[in-house]
Amino acid sequence: MKIDLSPLNYKDKVEINGNISYDDIFLKDSPIKELKNVSYEGYITRNDFDEYFCYLHVFGKMKICDSISLEEIFYPFDFIIDDEITDFIQNDQNNLDIMEFLWQNIVLEVPIRYTLCDADNLKGDNWCVVSNNNEGGE
């Protein structure tokens, strides 16, 4: 999905917002199992030196594997992009590929370890912890 930035020739900023879902082509080599309904809202500006800047609020849920049980769980994310984006702009077409731009920022939000398991009650598909060393070694 491309965002047309030509209105920046006569406006101070371009307001952008919407929802994006990513298919298997994006998810193929990532730890993300599912990524649907990613919401974004914000704006893009340009200065006199043809440098582009964006301020975007991005939020949604990604499906990843639980670090302990390895079950697929949803991980909520919510972050702000407030940065120069000149390198992402296709100058000859004066537009921004919002899917690719957001993808590169969402991948940075994937946690190294994330679990919904309770430390006192560790279990998953076909396994569970049956003893705990904190009970005096019994």
Side-chain angles (χ1 to χ4, degrees), residues 91-136:
N91 287 330
D92 57 332
Q93 298 173 0
N94 203 23
N95 60 38
L96 170 68
D97 183 354
I98 193 71
M99 285 191 76
E100 183 66 35
F101 175 68
L102 288 180
W103 173 251
Q104 291 187 21
N105 286 276
I106 290 169
V107 169
L108 296 174
E109 296 297 315
V110 176
I112 294 171
R113 294 182 51 84
Y114 183 74
T115 185
L116 295 178
C117 293
D118 182 11
D120 295 330
N121 189 19
L122 297 176
K123 62 182 177 179
D125 287 339
N126 300 321
W127 68 272
C128 69
V129 176
V130 293
S131 67
N132 191 343
N133 291 336
N134 295 337
E135 296 178 1

Side-chain angles (χ1 to χ4, degrees), residues 21-89:
S21 294
Y22 290 89
D23 57 15
D24 292 339
I25 294 171
F26 279 92
L27 306 178
K28 179 175 66 169
D29 294 326
S30 79
I32 302 171
K33 305 299 181 195
E34 181 180 299
L35 188 58
K36 296 183 178 175
N37 297 323
V38 175
S39 297
Y40 63 93
E41 50 192 35
Y43 58 88
I44 298 174
T45 61
R46 183 177 69 186
N47 65 16
D48 293 336
F49 303 107
D50 285 337
E51 297 170 327
Y52 293 84
F53 298 89
C54 80
Y55 180 86
L56 284 176
H57 178 212
V58 183
F59 53 96
K61 291 181 192 174
M62 64 178 78
K63 188 183 278 188
I64 59 174
C65 286
D66 187 291
S67 299
I68 294 176
S69 69
L70 300 179
E71 296 173 1
E72 290 185 354
I73 58 173
F74 283 101
Y75 173 74
F77 61 92
D78 189 334
F79 62 93
I80 301 287
I81 302 171
D82 188 7
D83 204 1
E84 180 182 354
I85 60 168
T86 307
D87 293 341
F88 293 94
I89 305 299

